[in-house]
Amino acid sequence: MSQDTAKRLNKYISETGYCSRREADKLIEQGRVTINGSIPEMGTKVQLGDDVCIDGKPVKSKERPVYIALNKPTGITCTTERDVPGNIVDFIGHNKRIFQLGAWTSLPMA
């Protein structure tokens, strides 16, 4: 994160799913949060590479989801079951787990 993309500590913590912003504020006030081993002041911003801990345990930001829109070719089956020949997971070949959101069917215009 550059200075432009740095986030307030309470927002960073809430975006990890650990707790809400208000609860994060309480943890910061109680001195339970550290950034790079130091107790921060309220309003401190988190930079890329900072080590944020709560009660000595690291807090990691969530990975950003990747969305793949695919016009599925004929012969590929919309299933995540790897034992089905021609399954969508093997066809896409993405290195992370894929969650299928559904299949759309386009109909010819009348």
Side-chain angles (χ1 to χ4, degrees):
M1 284 182 230
S2 69
Q3 188 65 24
D4 296 337
T5 58
K7 291 183 183 178
R8 287 179 54 107
L9 180 56
N10 64 350
K11 180 174 175 150
Y12 176 85
I13 293 170
S14 73
E15 287 179 354
T16 68
Y18 188 90
C19 62
S20 70
R21 282 190 193 185
R22 297 300 148 240
E23 290 296 317
D25 285 339
K26 290 177 186 175
L27 294 171
I28 296 164
E29 287 174 358
Q30 294 168 358
R32 296 174 56 191
V33 179
T34 60
I35 299 176
N36 303 323
S38 299
I39 296 176
E41 296 177 8
M42 193 64 72
T44 299
K45 293 197 175 187
V46 177
Q47 303 288 330
L48 182 64
D50 282 346
D51 181 32
V52 178
C53 294
I54 298 175
D55 296 330
K57 296 176 184 167
V59 177
K60 299 288 182 192
S61 60
K62 290 182 183 178
E63 275 189 40
R64 298 188 88 179
V66 174
Y67 296 94
I68 301 170
L70 174 71
N71 186 1
K72 181 187 73 62
T74 303
I76 300 301
T77 305
C78 280
T79 182
T80 57
E81 295 180 30
R82 303 297 291 268
D83 60 330
V84 175
N87 67 71
I88 196 91
V89 174
D90 289 339
F91 178 75
I92 291 175
H94 190 61
N95 62 350
K96 302 267 181 160
R97 184 173 177 196
I98 294 175
F99 297 91
Q100 173 189 331
L101 296 179
W104 290 70
T105 303
S106 60
L107 302 173
M109 299 290 284

